[in-house]
Amino acid sequence: MWRRANLGRAFGWLWAAYAVSAYGTGLGFGAFSVVAITVLNASSAEVAALSASGLAIGALLAVPLGPWMEFRTKRPVMIATDLIRFAAMASIPLAYCLGALSFAQLLVVAIVTAAAKIAFTAASGAYLKTIVPADGLLVATSRFESTTWSATVIGPPVGGAAIGLLGPVTTVVVDAVSYLLSALGIAAIREAEQPPQPRTAPTRRWSDIAEGWRYILTNHTLRRFFVNTMLVNGLIMAAEPLLSVLMLAHLGFPVWEYGLAFAVPCIGGLIGSRLARRVAARFGESTVLRVFGTLRACWPLGLAFVQPGPIGLVTVMITEFGLIICASIFSPVLVTYRLNNTAADRQARVLAAWSITTSISIAAITVLWGLLAQLTSPRAAIALAGVLLLGTPFLLPRHVATPESTGLIPSNEEPVRSGDV
């Protein structure tokens, strides 16, 4: 018999808030680029700058937020960042209706929302650990992962149809409202939040800012996961826009086939995230992190061999499906391991440092690979990213603490059904 996990009312509200904002983000996927191109006639360079600058500058602005959040209650921070994102996103359709929308405004909104997202992620991760017991964390993170992928499957196609029927800023409105609903969901949590750890040392601004990175880099296992994740995410994301150019401009795929090539494989994210708890229970946390951390790096090289026609479409789907299912099993297990192996008074700073570095590395590698593709070709740049990814498993730690030692899967409890995750 498998036991259904009950994570409590507070988690239920937090999950509901996350779900509504995830679906809003899914519906609004690519909306900034669509608005920039169709409304402001932005060039491809401007669209790339919009994406990269939002990530990089938003991450830099988020640097001091980690130590600021560490010794404060997390729910007010989460509500405030949701309201900030609502106000920023809502300014776009308002300016559009007034005929005052500009590229500079899009850039500012992208930066503000990126910084707010990092702050929300850090605060919600630290808060999650206070409302869910250690043996329930993998169930909780798997549910978040599953929600993300379901929103990715459903959101972009529906959002694209909505833009076609109702105009370019339609999904921006929906995304903005989703943050407002998320804030209301978090505000509906009635359980008192555990007070944060009291500050035992005097405030040292620069030392506090660097504490998240210091904690990661002085922990051998976290450091190796940190570097591995930074490079894997950066190389995978850097290849995505190049694959778009290769498929649409060089190989002549119609737009609907291109969308289908990326929507269908996201079903793998639903499957992987729902299996993560069961796989970890059966094979152990250490094995899952090493095996699926390796497998997720082996798939992207296949994208360099995409050809025109149905065979090429199937190649992309199979490659993306394999990548996504491996990543969606690996990710919630890694998140759980990180939460269980970070001191309570370092959670917000560690999560903020992790998110900031990942965002900056993705932005930097994306720009670098764009230049590389300009000098060579999109296919060559995708191939190089795939080859480099094959080396990233060597950065994974050789040994990871067992599930029992982290409290992940207590030996006296039955595992949870994958269908309950």
Side-chain angles (χ1 to χ4, degrees):
M1 295 289 294
W2 300 93
R3 181 182 60 83
R4 184 178 184 87
N6 181 9
L7 301 180
R9 188 180 296 273
F11 173 78
W13 278 112
L14 182 64
W15 188 21
Y18 178 83
V20 72
S21 64
Y23 275 92
T25 300
L27 287 166
F29 179 78
F32 277 23
S33 297
V34 171
V35 171
I37 294 169
T38 61
V39 178
L40 302 176
N41 297 315
S43 66
S44 57
E46 287 176 319
V47 173
L50 180 64
S51 176
S53 300
L55 281 174
I57 301 175
L60 291 174
L61 290 178
V63 168
L65 295 179
W68 179 81
M69 290 185 292
E70 193 72 77
F71 303 99
R72 287 169 172 80
T73 52
K74 306 303 183 291
R75 279 182 56 219
V77 173
M78 293 153 63
I79 293 170
T81 52
D82 267 339
L83 293 177
I84 288 171
R85 287 188 285 183
F86 164 69
M89 295 292 288
S91 72
I92 293 175
L94 179 61
Y96 174 76
C97 291
L98 296 175
L101 185 63
S102 66
F103 183 80
Q105 181 181 352
L106 285 183
L107 184 60
V108 170
V109 172
I111 292 169
V112 170
T113 53
K117 178 182 178 181
I118 291 172
F120 181 92
T121 299
S124 61
Y127 179 66
L128 178 66
K129 192 174 180 181
T130 68
I131 62 172
V132 174
D135 63 301
L137 280 173
L138 184 51
V139 179
T141 55
S142 296
R143 288 178 180 174
F144 285 131
E145 186 82 4
S146 178
T147 301
T148 298
W149 285 112
S150 64
T152 305
V153 172
I154 297 170
V158 175
I163 289 174
L165 291 173
L166 303 174
V169 299
T170 303
T171 56
V172 178
V173 174
V174 174
D175 197 8
V177 172
S178 75
Y179 292 123
L180 179 60
L181 294 176
S182 174
L184 293 175
I186 296 169
I189 299 174
R190 296 306 177 198
E191 289 85 344
E193 181 177 346
Q194 293 182 17
Q197 294 283 337
R199 182 183 289 274
T200 57
T203 301
R204 294 174 296 177
R205 183 178 178 186
W206 294 111
S207 177
D208 279 352
I209 288 174
E211 177 60 24
W213 284 280
R214 188 200 67 79
Y215 192 93
I216 294 169
L217 296 176
T218 55
N219 183 305
H220 174 75
T221 304
L222 286 180
R223 179 175 70 246
R224 292 182 75 97
F225 278 130
F226 177 64
V227 176
N228 173 270
T229 302
M230 180 175 62
L231 290 177
V232 170
N233 289 355
L235 289 169
I236 289 174
M237 294 303 296
E240 292 299 324
L242 305 183
L243 184 60
S244 303
V245 174
L246 178 64
M247 292 180 68
L248 296 174
H250 293 200
L251 301 180
F253 281 89
V255 174
W256 72 269
E257 284 189 358
Y258 170 76
L260 189 67
F262 289 96
V264 172
C266 289
I267 296 171
L270 289 173
I271 297 171
S273 58
R274 294 173 74 86
L275 287 176
R277 166 77 180 188
R278 189 172 184 175
V279 173
R282 180 168 183 176
F283 298 105
E285 181 185 34
S286 178
T287 299
V288 170
L289 289 172
R290 284 187 287 106
V291 171
F292 288 94
T294 298
L295 289 176
R296 82 196 204 281
C298 296
W299 292 93
L301 183 58
L303 298 174
F305 302 97
V306 175
Q307 299 299 321
I311 294 178
L313 182 63
V314 172
T315 300
V316 175
M317 286 184 174
I318 292 175
T319 303
E320 292 285 339
F321 181 84
L323 167 63
I324 289 170
I325 198 169
C326 292
S328 62
I329 292 175
F330 174 84
S331 294
V333 179
L334 175 61
V335 170
T336 302
Y337 178 85
R338 188 178 62 201
L339 287 171
N340 278 328
N341 289 274
T342 301
D345 62 345
R346 299 292 191 278
Q347 289 284 348
R349 281 173 283 184
V350 166
L351 294 175
W354 200 291
S355 297
I356 288 166
T357 309
T358 300
S359 295
I360 292 175
S361 65
I362 289 173
I365 296 174
T366 298
V367 170
L368 180 61
W369 248 250
L371 293 174
L372 179 64
Q374 189 73 26
L375 294 173
T376 57
S377 70
R379 191 185 295 277
I382 292 170
L384 179 59
V387 170
L388 292 177
L389 278 165
L390 294 178
T392 58
F394 294 102
L395 298 171
L396 292 168
R398 295 182 180 179
H399 174 74
V400 181
T402 61
E404 289 79 11
S405 68
T406 63
L408 179 64
I409 305 170
S411 57
N412 62 337
E413 299 230 4
E414 296 179 75
V416 179
R417 289 179 300 170
S418 62
D420 290 332
V421 174

